[in-house]
Each structure stands twice: as structure tokens, then as C-alpha cells.
Coordinates of all heavy atoms in Angstrom, one line a residue:
M1 N -12.3 -28.8 -24.9 CA -12.1 -27.4 -25.3 C -12.0 -26.5 -24.0 O -11.3 -25.6 -24.1 CB -13.3 -27.1 -26.1 CG -13.2 -25.7 -26.7 SD -11.9 -25.6 -27.9 CE -12.2 -24.1 -28.7
K2 N -12.8 -26.8 -23.0 CA -12.8 -26.0 -21.8 C -11.4 -26.0 -21.2 O -10.9 -24.9 -20.7 CB -13.8 -26.4 -20.8 CG -13.9 -25.5 -19.6 CD -15.0 -25.9 -18.7 CE -15.0 -24.9 -17.5 NZ -16.2 -24.8 -16.8
Y3 N -10.7 -27.1 -21.2 CA -9.4 -27.2 -20.6 C -8.4 -26.3 -21.3 O -7.5 -25.7 -20.7 CB -8.9 -28.6 -20.5 CG -9.7 -29.4 -19.5 CD1 -10.5 -30.5 -20.0 CD2 -9.7 -29.2 -18.1 CE1 -11.3 -31.2 -19.1 CE2 -10.4 -29.9 -17.3 CZ -11.3 -30.9 -17.7 OH -12.0 -31.6 -16.9
L4 N -8.5 -26.3 -22.6 CA -7.6 -25.4 -23.4 C -7.9 -23.9 -23.1 O -6.9 -23.2 -23.0 CB -7.9 -25.7 -24.9 CG -6.9 -25.1 -25.9 CD1 -5.5 -25.6 -25.7 CD2 -7.4 -25.4 -27.3
Q5 N -9.1 -23.6 -22.9 CA -9.4 -22.2 -22.6 C -8.8 -21.8 -21.2 O -8.2 -20.8 -21.0 CB -10.9 -22.0 -22.6 CG -11.5 -22.0 -23.9 CD -13.1 -22.1 -23.9 OE1 -13.6 -22.4 -22.8 NE2 -13.7 -21.8 -25.0
I6 N -9.0 -22.7 -20.2 CA -8.4 -22.5 -18.9 C -6.9 -22.4 -19.0 O -6.3 -21.5 -18.3 CB -8.8 -23.7 -18.0 CG1 -10.3 -23.6 -17.7 CG2 -8.0 -23.7 -16.7 CD1 -10.9 -24.8 -16.9
F7 N -6.3 -23.2 -19.8 CA -4.8 -23.2 -19.9 C -4.4 -21.8 -20.5 O -3.4 -21.2 -19.9 CB -4.3 -24.3 -20.9 CG -2.9 -24.2 -21.3 CD1 -1.9 -24.5 -20.4 CD2 -2.6 -23.7 -22.5 CE1 -0.6 -24.4 -20.7 CE2 -1.2 -23.5 -22.9 CZ -0.2 -23.9 -22.0
F8 N -5.0 -21.3 -21.5 CA -4.6 -20.1 -22.1 C -4.9 -18.9 -21.2 O -4.1 -17.9 -21.1 CB -5.2 -19.8 -23.5 CG -4.5 -20.6 -24.5 CD1 -5.2 -21.6 -25.2 CD2 -3.2 -20.4 -24.8 CE1 -4.5 -22.4 -26.2 CE2 -2.5 -21.2 -25.8 CZ -3.2 -22.1 -26.5
V9 N -6.0 -18.9 -20.4 CA -6.3 -17.8 -19.5 C -5.2 -17.8 -18.4 O -4.7 -16.8 -18.0 CB -7.7 -17.9 -18.9 CG1 -7.9 -17.0 -17.8 CG2 -8.7 -17.7 -20.0
A10 N -4.9 -19.0 -17.9 CA -3.9 -19.1 -16.8 C -2.5 -18.7 -17.4 O -1.7 -18.0 -16.7 CB -3.8 -20.6 -16.3
L11 N -2.2 -19.0 -18.6 CA -0.9 -18.6 -19.2 C -0.8 -17.1 -19.3 O 0.2 -16.5 -18.9 CB -0.8 -19.2 -20.6 CG 0.4 -18.8 -21.4 CD1 1.7 -19.4 -20.7 CD2 0.3 -19.3 -22.8
V12 N -1.9 -16.4 -19.7 CA -1.9 -15.0 -19.8 C -1.8 -14.4 -18.4 O -1.0 -13.4 -18.2 CB -3.1 -14.4 -20.5 CG1 -3.2 -12.9 -20.4 CG2 -3.1 -14.9 -22.0
A13 N -2.4 -15.0 -17.4 CA -2.4 -14.5 -16.0 C -0.9 -14.6 -15.5 O -0.4 -13.6 -14.9 CB -3.3 -15.3 -15.1
F14 N -0.3 -15.7 -15.7 CA 1.1 -15.8 -15.3 C 2.1 -14.9 -16.0 O 3.1 -14.4 -15.5 CB 1.6 -17.3 -15.3 CG 0.9 -18.1 -14.2 CD1 0.1 -19.1 -14.5 CD2 1.1 -17.8 -12.9 CE1 -0.5 -19.9 -13.5 CE2 0.5 -18.5 -11.9 CZ -0.3 -19.6 -12.2
E15 N 1.8 -14.6 -17.3 CA 2.6 -13.7 -18.0 C 2.5 -12.3 -17.4 O 3.5 -11.6 -17.2 CB 2.2 -13.6 -19.5 CG 2.6 -14.8 -20.3 CD 2.1 -14.7 -21.7 OE1 1.2 -14.0 -22.0 OE2 2.7 -15.4 -22.6
H16 N 1.3 -11.9 -17.0 CA 1.1 -10.6 -16.3 C 1.8 -10.6 -15.0 O 2.3 -9.5 -14.6 CB -0.4 -10.3 -16.1 CG -1.0 -9.7 -17.4 ND1 -0.8 -8.5 -17.9 CD2 -1.9 -10.3 -18.2 CE1 -1.4 -8.3 -19.0 NE2 -2.2 -9.4 -19.2
I17 N 1.8 -11.7 -14.3 CA 2.6 -11.7 -13.0 C 4.1 -11.6 -13.3 O 4.8 -10.9 -12.6 CB 2.3 -13.0 -12.3 CG1 0.8 -13.0 -11.7 CG2 3.2 -13.2 -11.1 CD1 0.3 -14.3 -11.2
Y18 N 4.6 -12.2 -14.3 CA 6.0 -12.1 -14.7 C 6.3 -10.6 -15.1 O 7.3 -10.1 -14.6 CB 6.3 -13.0 -15.9 CG 7.7 -12.9 -16.3 CD1 8.8 -13.3 -15.5 CD2 8.0 -12.4 -17.6 CE1 10.1 -13.2 -16.0 CE2 9.3 -12.3 -18.0 CZ 10.4 -12.7 -17.2 OH 11.6 -12.6 -17.6
F19 N 5.4 -10.0 -15.8 CA 5.7 -8.6 -16.2 C 5.7 -7.7 -14.9 O 6.4 -6.8 -14.8 CB 4.6 -8.1 -17.2 CG 4.6 -8.8 -18.5 CD1 3.5 -9.0 -19.2 CD2 5.8 -9.2 -19.1 CE1 3.5 -9.6 -20.5 CE2 5.9 -9.8 -20.3 CZ 4.7 -10.0 -21.0
M20 N 4.8 -8.0 -14.0 CA 4.7 -7.3 -12.8 C 6.0 -7.4 -12.0 O 6.6 -6.4 -11.5 CB 3.6 -7.8 -11.9 CG 3.4 -7.0 -10.6 SD 4.4 -7.7 -9.1 CE 3.7 -9.3 -9.0
I21 N 6.6 -8.6 -11.9 CA 7.8 -8.7 -11.2 C 8.9 -8.0 -11.9 O 9.8 -7.3 -11.3 CB 8.2 -10.2 -11.1 CG1 7.2 -10.9 -10.2 CG2 9.6 -10.5 -10.7 CD1 7.3 -12.5 -10.2
L22 N 9.0 -8.0 -13.2 CA 10.0 -7.3 -14.0 C 9.9 -5.8 -13.7 O 10.8 -5.1 -13.5 CB 9.9 -7.6 -15.5 CG 10.5 -8.8 -16.0 CD1 10.2 -9.0 -17.5 CD2 12.0 -8.8 -15.8
E23 N 8.6 -5.3 -13.8 CA 8.4 -3.8 -13.7 C 8.6 -3.3 -12.3 O 9.1 -2.2 -12.1 CB 7.0 -3.5 -14.3 CG 6.9 -3.7 -15.8 CD 5.5 -3.6 -16.3 OE1 4.6 -3.7 -15.5 OE2 5.4 -3.6 -17.5
M24 N 8.2 -4.0 -11.3 CA 8.2 -3.5 -10.0 C 9.5 -3.8 -9.2 O 9.9 -3.0 -8.4 CB 7.0 -4.1 -9.1 CG 5.7 -3.6 -9.6 SD 4.4 -4.1 -8.5 CE 4.4 -2.8 -7.3
F25 N 10.2 -4.9 -9.6 CA 11.4 -5.3 -8.8 C 12.7 -5.2 -9.6 O 13.7 -5.1 -9.0 CB 11.2 -6.6 -8.2 CG 9.9 -6.7 -7.3 CD1 8.8 -7.5 -7.7 CD2 9.9 -6.0 -6.1 CE1 7.7 -7.5 -6.9 CE2 8.7 -6.0 -5.3 CZ 7.7 -6.8 -5.7
Y26 N 12.6 -5.5 -10.9 CA 13.8 -5.6 -11.7 C 14.0 -4.4 -12.7 O 14.8 -4.5 -13.7 CB 13.9 -6.9 -12.4 CG 14.0 -8.1 -11.5 CD1 13.0 -9.0 -11.3 CD2 15.2 -8.3 -10.8 CE1 13.1 -10.1 -10.5 CE2 15.4 -9.3 -10.0 CZ 14.3 -10.2 -9.8 OH 14.5 -11.3 -8.9
W27 N 13.2 -3.4 -12.6 CA 13.2 -2.3 -13.6 C 14.6 -1.7 -13.8 O 15.0 -1.5 -15.0 CB 12.2 -1.2 -13.2 CG 12.0 -0.2 -14.2 CD1 12.5 1.1 -14.2 CD2 11.3 -0.2 -15.4 NE1 12.1 1.8 -15.3 CE2 11.3 1.0 -16.1 CE3 10.5 -1.3 -16.1 CZ2 10.7 1.3 -17.3 CZ3 9.9 -1.0 -17.3 CH2 10.0 0.3 -17.9
D28 N 15.3 -1.4 -12.8 CA 16.6 -0.8 -12.9 C 17.7 -1.8 -12.6 O 18.8 -1.4 -12.3 CB 16.7 0.4 -12.0 CG 16.4 0.1 -10.5 OD1 16.0 -1.0 -10.2 OD2 16.6 1.0 -9.7
K29 N 17.4 -3.1 -12.7 CA 18.4 -4.1 -12.5 C 18.8 -4.6 -13.9 O 18.1 -4.4 -14.9 CB 17.9 -5.3 -11.6 CG 17.3 -4.9 -10.3 CD 18.3 -4.4 -9.3 CE 17.8 -4.2 -8.0 NZ 17.0 -3.0 -7.8
P30 N 19.9 -5.3 -14.0 CA 20.4 -5.8 -15.3 C 19.3 -6.6 -16.1 O 19.1 -6.5 -17.3 CB 21.6 -6.7 -15.0 CG 22.1 -6.1 -13.8 CD 20.9 -5.6 -13.0
K31 N 18.6 -7.5 -15.4 CA 17.6 -8.3 -16.0 C 16.4 -7.5 -16.6 O 16.0 -7.7 -17.7 CB 17.0 -9.3 -15.0 CG 16.0 -10.3 -15.6 CD 15.6 -11.3 -14.6 CE 14.8 -12.4 -15.2 NZ 14.5 -13.5 -14.3
G32 N 16.0 -6.5 -15.9 CA 14.9 -5.6 -16.4 C 15.4 -4.7 -17.5 O 14.7 -4.4 -18.4
L33 N 16.6 -4.2 -17.3 CA 17.2 -3.3 -18.4 C 17.3 -4.1 -19.7 O 17.0 -3.5 -20.8 CB 18.6 -2.8 -18.0 CG 18.6 -1.9 -16.7 CD1 20.0 -1.6 -16.3 CD2 17.8 -0.6 -17.0
K34 N 17.7 -5.3 -19.6 CA 17.8 -6.1 -20.8 C 16.5 -6.5 -21.4 O 16.3 -6.4 -22.6 CB 18.6 -7.4 -20.5 CG 18.8 -8.3 -21.7 CD 19.6 -9.6 -21.4 CE 19.8 -10.4 -22.6 NZ 20.4 -11.7 -22.3
A35 N 15.5 -6.8 -20.5 CA 14.2 -7.2 -21.0 C 13.5 -6.0 -21.7 O 12.8 -6.3 -22.7 CB 13.3 -7.6 -19.8
F36 N 13.7 -4.8 -21.2 CA 13.0 -3.7 -21.8 C 13.9 -2.8 -22.7 O 13.5 -1.8 -23.3 CB 12.4 -2.8 -20.7 CG 11.3 -3.5 -20.0 CD1 11.5 -4.0 -18.7 CD2 10.1 -3.8 -20.5 CE1 10.5 -4.6 -18.0 CE2 9.1 -4.4 -19.9 CZ 9.3 -4.9 -18.6
G37 N 15.2 -3.2 -22.9 CA 16.1 -2.5 -23.7 C 16.3 -1.0 -23.3 O 16.3 -0.1 -24.1
M38 N 16.5 -0.8 -22.0 CA 16.6 0.5 -21.5 C 18.0 0.8 -21.0 O 18.8 -0.2 -20.7 CB 15.6 0.8 -20.4 CG 14.2 0.7 -20.8 SD 13.1 1.1 -19.5 CE 13.6 2.8 -19.2
K39 N 18.4 2.0 -20.8 CA 19.6 2.4 -20.2 C 19.3 2.7 -18.7 O 18.2 3.1 -18.3 CB 20.2 3.7 -20.8 CG 20.6 3.4 -22.2 CD 21.1 4.7 -22.9 CE 21.5 4.3 -24.3 NZ 21.6 5.5 -25.1
L40 N 20.3 2.5 -17.9 CA 20.1 2.7 -16.4 C 19.6 4.1 -16.1 O 18.7 4.2 -15.2 CB 21.4 2.4 -15.7 CG 21.4 2.5 -14.1 CD1 20.3 1.5 -13.6 CD2 22.7 2.2 -13.6
E41 N 20.1 5.1 -16.7 CA 19.6 6.5 -16.4 C 18.1 6.7 -16.7 O 17.4 7.3 -15.9 CB 20.4 7.5 -17.2 CG 21.9 7.5 -16.9 CD 22.7 6.4 -17.7 OE1 22.2 6.0 -18.8 OE2 23.7 5.9 -17.2
D42 N 17.7 6.1 -17.8 CA 16.3 6.2 -18.2 C 15.4 5.4 -17.2 O 14.3 5.8 -16.8 CB 16.0 5.7 -19.6 CG 16.7 6.6 -20.6 OD1 16.9 7.8 -20.3 OD2 17.1 6.1 -21.7
A43 N 15.9 4.2 -16.8 CA 15.2 3.4 -15.9 C 15.0 4.1 -14.5 O 13.9 4.0 -13.9 CB 15.9 2.0 -15.7
K44 N 16.0 4.7 -14.0 CA 15.9 5.4 -12.7 C 14.9 6.5 -12.8 O 14.2 6.7 -11.8 CB 17.3 5.9 -12.3 CG 18.2 4.8 -11.8 CD 19.5 5.4 -11.3 CE 20.4 4.2 -10.8 NZ 21.6 4.7 -10.2
V45 N 14.8 7.2 -13.9 CA 13.9 8.3 -14.0 C 12.5 7.8 -14.1 O 11.5 8.4 -13.5 CB 14.2 9.2 -15.3 CG1 13.1 10.2 -15.6 CG2 15.5 9.9 -15.1
S46 N 12.3 6.7 -14.7 CA 10.9 6.2 -14.9 C 10.5 5.0 -14.0 O 9.5 4.3 -14.2 CB 10.8 5.7 -16.4 OG 11.7 4.6 -16.6
K47 N 11.3 4.9 -12.9 CA 11.0 3.8 -11.9 C 9.6 3.8 -11.3 O 8.9 2.8 -11.2 CB 12.1 3.8 -10.8 CG 12.0 2.6 -10.0 CD 13.2 2.5 -9.0 CE 13.2 1.2 -8.2 NZ 14.4 1.1 -7.4
T48 N 9.1 5.0 -10.9 CA 7.8 5.2 -10.4 C 6.7 4.8 -11.4 O 5.8 4.1 -11.0 CB 7.6 6.6 -9.9 OG1 8.6 6.9 -9.0 CG2 6.3 6.8 -9.2
L49 N 6.9 5.2 -12.6 CA 5.9 4.8 -13.6 C 5.9 3.3 -13.8 O 4.9 2.7 -14.1 CB 6.3 5.5 -15.0 CG 6.2 7.0 -14.9 CD1 6.7 7.6 -16.2 CD2 4.8 7.5 -14.7
A50 N 7.1 2.7 -13.8 CA 7.2 1.2 -13.9 C 6.4 0.5 -12.8 O 5.8 -0.5 -13.0 CB 8.6 0.8 -14.0
K51 N 6.6 1.0 -11.6 CA 5.8 0.4 -10.5 C 4.3 0.5 -10.7 O 3.6 -0.4 -10.4 CB 6.3 1.0 -9.2 CG 7.6 0.6 -8.8 CD 8.0 1.0 -7.4 CE 9.4 0.5 -7.1 NZ 9.7 0.6 -5.7
N52 N 3.9 1.6 -11.2 CA 2.5 1.7 -11.5 C 2.0 0.7 -12.6 O 1.0 0.1 -12.5 CB 2.2 3.2 -12.0 CG 0.7 3.5 -12.2 OD1 -0.1 2.9 -11.4 ND2 0.4 4.3 -13.1
Q53 N 2.8 0.6 -13.6 CA 2.5 -0.4 -14.6 C 2.5 -1.8 -14.0 O 1.6 -2.7 -14.4 CB 3.6 -0.4 -15.7 CG 3.5 0.8 -16.6 CD 4.7 0.8 -17.6 OE1 5.5 1.7 -17.6 NE2 4.8 -0.3 -18.4
G54 N 3.4 -2.1 -13.1 CA 3.4 -3.4 -12.5 C 2.2 -3.7 -11.7 O 1.6 -4.8 -11.7
L55 N 1.7 -2.7 -11.0 CA 0.5 -2.8 -10.2 C -0.7 -3.1 -11.1 O -1.5 -3.9 -10.8 CB 0.3 -1.5 -9.4 CG -0.8 -1.6 -8.3 CD1 -0.5 -2.6 -7.3 CD2 -1.0 -0.2 -7.7
Y56 N -0.7 -2.4 -12.2 CA -1.8 -2.6 -13.2 C -1.8 -4.0 -13.7 O -2.8 -4.7 -13.8 CB -1.6 -1.6 -14.4 CG -2.5 -1.8 -15.5 CD1 -3.8 -1.4 -15.5 CD2 -2.1 -2.5 -16.7 CE1 -4.7 -1.6 -16.6 CE2 -2.9 -2.7 -17.8 CZ -4.2 -2.2 -17.7 OH -5.0 -2.4 -18.8
N57 N -0.6 -4.6 -14.0 CA -0.5 -5.9 -14.5 C -0.9 -7.0 -13.4 O -1.5 -8.0 -13.7 CB 1.0 -6.2 -14.9 CG 1.2 -5.8 -16.3 OD1 0.4 -6.1 -17.2 ND2 2.3 -5.0 -16.5
V58 N -0.6 -6.7 -12.2 CA -1.0 -7.7 -11.1 C -2.5 -7.7 -10.9 O -3.1 -8.7 -10.7 CB -0.2 -7.5 -9.8 CG1 -0.8 -6.3 -9.0 CG2 -0.2 -8.7 -9.0
F59 N -3.1 -6.5 -11.1 CA -4.6 -6.5 -11.1 C -5.2 -7.2 -12.2 O -6.3 -7.9 -12.1 CB -5.1 -5.0 -11.0 CG -5.1 -4.4 -9.6 CD1 -4.3 -3.3 -9.4 CD2 -5.7 -5.0 -8.6 CE1 -4.3 -2.7 -8.1 CE2 -5.7 -4.5 -7.3 CZ -4.9 -3.3 -7.1
L60 N -4.6 -7.1 -13.4 CA -5.1 -7.9 -14.6 C -5.0 -9.4 -14.3 O -5.9 -10.2 -14.6 CB -4.3 -7.5 -15.8 CG -4.6 -6.2 -16.5 CD1 -3.7 -5.9 -17.6 CD2 -6.1 -6.1 -17.0
A61 N -3.9 -9.8 -13.7 CA -3.6 -11.2 -13.4 C -4.7 -11.7 -12.4 O -5.2 -12.7 -12.5 CB -2.2 -11.4 -12.9
A62 N -4.9 -10.8 -11.3 CA -5.9 -11.2 -10.3 C -7.3 -11.4 -10.9 O -8.0 -12.3 -10.5 CB -5.9 -10.1 -9.2
G63 N -7.6 -10.5 -11.8 CA -8.9 -10.6 -12.4 C -9.1 -11.9 -13.2 O -10.1 -12.6 -13.2
L64 N -8.0 -12.3 -14.0 CA -8.0 -13.5 -14.8 C -8.1 -14.7 -13.9 O -8.8 -15.7 -14.1 CB -6.8 -13.5 -15.7 CG -6.8 -12.6 -16.8 CD1 -5.4 -12.5 -17.5 CD2 -7.8 -12.9 -17.9
I65 N -7.3 -14.7 -12.8 CA -7.3 -15.9 -11.9 C -8.6 -16.0 -11.2 O -9.2 -17.1 -11.0 CB -6.1 -15.7 -10.9 CG1 -4.8 -15.9 -11.6 CG2 -6.3 -16.8 -9.8 CD1 -3.6 -15.5 -10.8
W66 N -9.2 -14.8 -10.8 CA -10.5 -14.8 -10.2 C -11.6 -15.4 -11.2 O -12.4 -16.2 -10.7 CB -10.9 -13.4 -9.8 CG -12.3 -13.3 -9.2 CD1 -12.6 -13.7 -7.9 CD2 -13.4 -12.7 -9.8 NE1 -14.0 -13.4 -7.7 CE2 -14.5 -12.8 -8.8 CE3 -13.7 -12.1 -11.0 CZ2 -15.7 -12.3 -9.1 CZ3 -14.9 -11.6 -11.2 CH2 -15.9 -11.8 -10.3
A67 N -11.5 -15.1 -12.4 CA -12.4 -15.6 -13.4 C -12.3 -17.1 -13.6 O -13.3 -17.8 -13.8 CB -12.2 -14.9 -14.8
L68 N -11.1 -17.6 -13.4 CA -10.9 -19.0 -13.5 C -11.6 -19.8 -12.4 O -12.1 -20.9 -12.6 CB -9.4 -19.4 -13.5 CG -8.6 -19.1 -14.8 CD1 -7.1 -19.4 -14.5 CD2 -9.1 -19.9 -15.9
F69 N -11.5 -19.2 -11.2 CA -12.1 -19.9 -10.1 C -13.6 -19.7 -9.9 O -14.3 -20.4 -9.2 CB -11.4 -19.5 -8.8 CG -10.0 -20.1 -8.7 CD1 -8.9 -19.3 -8.8 CD2 -9.9 -21.5 -8.4 CE1 -7.6 -19.9 -8.8 CE2 -8.6 -22.1 -8.3 CZ -7.5 -21.3 -8.5
T70 N -14.2 -18.7 -10.6 CA -15.6 -18.5 -10.5 C -16.4 -19.1 -11.6 O -17.6 -19.1 -11.5 CB -15.9 -17.0 -10.5 OG1 -15.4 -16.3 -11.6 CG2 -15.3 -16.3 -9.2
N71 N -15.7 -19.6 -12.6 CA -16.4 -20.3 -13.7 C -16.5 -21.8 -13.5 O -15.9 -22.6 -13.1 CB -15.8 -20.0 -15.0 CG -16.4 -18.8 -15.6 OD1 -17.6 -18.5 -15.3 ND2 -15.7 -18.1 -16.4

């Protein structure tokens, strides 16, 4: 049972890392525009907000990974 819990926590952590990459680096690129269903004009206006969201996601991932190694 413990391995299943570790697997799911790691999965969520890597999802947050993936979201961080999308939000911080691909927000106004074709991959990010497709993933979030946005238009380029809207993405350029909200790019700073997306980077903030990406930073939030990487902190969530770091907390989950830290929890895996401290238990």
C-alpha cells in the first residue's frame, strides 16, 4: 500500500512540474496555446501571470517531493 501512495504523490509532483514548464516557458508558444486553448494576443497579455502560476506549481512539486524523501 505504501508504494502505491508514493507512486501517486510522485505522479502529482511530476504533473505540477509539467504544468510549470508549460506556464513558464511555453505559455505563448504553440504547445502552450494549444494546451490552454488561448489566443496569442491573450497569452502575451497574461504572460507574467502565467509565470507566477508556474512558480506556484514548482513550489507545490518541491513540497511533494520533499515529503516523499522525509517519510
Side-chain angles (χ1 to χ4, degrees):
M1 185 66 166
K2 183 173 180 160
Y3 294 112
L4 190 59
Q5 293 168 341
I6 291 171
F7 170 76
F8 282 116
V9 170
L11 177 67
V12 171
F14 287 117
E15 285 177 341
H16 279 290
I17 291 170
Y18 178 69
F19 295 145
M20 180 271 300
I21 291 169
L22 279 176
E23 292 167 349
M24 292 188 85
F25 304 112
Y26 293 111
W27 186 255
D28 57 352
K29 308 289 188 285
K31 186 175 186 175
L33 295 173
K34 184 179 177 186
F36 295 107
M38 296 186 62
K39 295 178 182 164
L40 182 59
E41 298 81 29
D42 296 331
K44 286 184 178 182
V45 170
S46 60
K47 190 172 184 175
T48 303
L49 296 172
K51 287 187 178 193
N52 187 34
Q53 287 175 240
L55 188 63
Y56 174 78
N57 277 310
V58 80
F59 279 122
L60 287 174
L64 289 168
I65 293 168
W66 178 71
L68 286 174
F69 286 107
T70 57
N71 272 334

